[in-house]
Amino acid sequence: MDRRVKKTKRAIQTALITLLQKHIFTEITVSELARTADIDRKTFYLHYHSINDVLDEFEAELTQQVSDIINASDRFNLDSFIDSLTHMMLEKIDIFAHISKNNDYSFLLDDCKNILAEALLKESKTESTLGREELDFITHFIAYGVVDTYKNWLKTPTRSEIELKKTSLHIKKLVSKLIQTY
């Protein structure tokens, strides 16, 4: 992809993130998005058909980042995953905080939950004596708990990097114990 195209798309995505912190997604117009990105409407339409396309691309990138974290090595490593997820959240804390507070974006969180559950399930299959149904239940339980714990931390007005790291440490300990049990 051409550098100019990447730069323009990044500007549009950054503008969308900025606007999402001020407005509900359905209230954002292409004109406002283009103005915030410092481009004209024609330029916007050269890259996207609608604002939904920008959000879809953003969602795909987040999903890909989480998948990349999970697939970084041959075996799923929970500690590395939690550390990487924590780092990713700190880099984009404003958008993650906004997403966690607004139910309109729950599909993004659901994607993360499902990706994590599938990774845990894939890893657990090789070592567990449980049946597929039990294993599926347990991995989804863990994945939903991990993502919702982060979501709750993001909703707190006094969130800090130190508190996030403590939360991550608690998640690692608890999930490790749960996985060892099964």
Side-chain angles (χ1 to χ4, degrees):
M1 184 183 307
D2 184 283
R3 265 191 359 234
R4 291 172 294 173
V5 171
K6 284 182 184 179
K7 183 178 177 183
T8 301
K9 284 187 161 204
R10 195 174 10 206
I12 293 169
Q13 286 185 355
T14 301
L16 179 61
I17 290 167
T18 300
L19 292 172
L20 284 173
Q21 294 173 41
K22 300 174 188 171
H23 307 290
I24 296 171
F25 178 73
T26 55
E27 296 174 351
I28 299 171
T29 64
V30 171
S31 295
E32 183 179 27
L33 182 58
R35 201 171 30 256
T36 305
D38 198 25
I39 60 170
D40 59 39
R41 286 173 48 90
K42 290 179 192 175
T43 303
F44 174 86
Y45 285 114
L46 282 173
H47 302 284
Y48 301 101
H49 296 311
S50 69
I51 297 175
N52 283 335
D53 291 345
V54 181
L55 188 61
D56 289 346
E57 187 174 87
F58 179 74
E59 176 188 7
E61 286 176 10
L62 282 179
T63 302
Q64 186 61 51
Q65 284 179 322
V66 173
S67 292
D68 290 347
I69 291 168
I70 288 171
N71 298 317
S73 65
D74 292 339
R75 281 188 62 130
F76 177 75
N77 181 299
L78 179 70
D79 287 353
S80 294
F81 173 78
I82 297 296
D83 290 342
S84 297
L85 192 60
T86 300
H87 179 73
M88 188 174 88
M89 270 201 305
L90 287 171
E91 284 182 337
K92 299 177 181 179
I93 194 146
D94 291 335
I95 188 63
F96 283 115
H98 182 74
I99 287 169
S100 70
K101 293 175 187 173
N102 192 324
N103 288 333
D104 292 338
Y105 309 111
S106 61
F107 61 92
L108 291 171
L109 297 173
D110 289 343
D111 284 350
C112 289
K113 291 173 185 177
N114 290 327
I115 290 168
L116 177 56
E118 287 303 313
L120 289 169
L121 184 62
K122 181 179 166 188
E123 183 62 29
S124 299
K125 277 185 195 177
T126 60
E127 300 174 8
S128 179
T129 58
L130 296 175
R132 165 76 179 173
E133 191 175 308
E134 286 177 297
L135 209 48
D136 189 55
F137 176 81
I138 291 166
T139 55
H140 277 83
F141 180 83
I142 292 169
Y144 278 56
V146 168
V147 173
D148 283 344
T149 299
Y150 279 120
K151 178 182 170 184
N152 288 334
W153 175 82
L154 284 161
K155 286 181 174 182
T156 59
T158 58
R159 64 183 178 272
S160 69
E161 185 173 341
I162 293 168
E163 286 300 316
L164 178 60
K165 289 183 179 179
K166 283 182 191 176
T167 299
S168 297
L169 184 61
H170 291 306
I171 289 171
K172 286 190 242 183
K173 287 179 182 177
L174 180 61
V175 173
S176 290
K177 286 180 183 177
L178 284 170
I179 289 173
Q180 289 171 1
T181 304
Y182 296 101

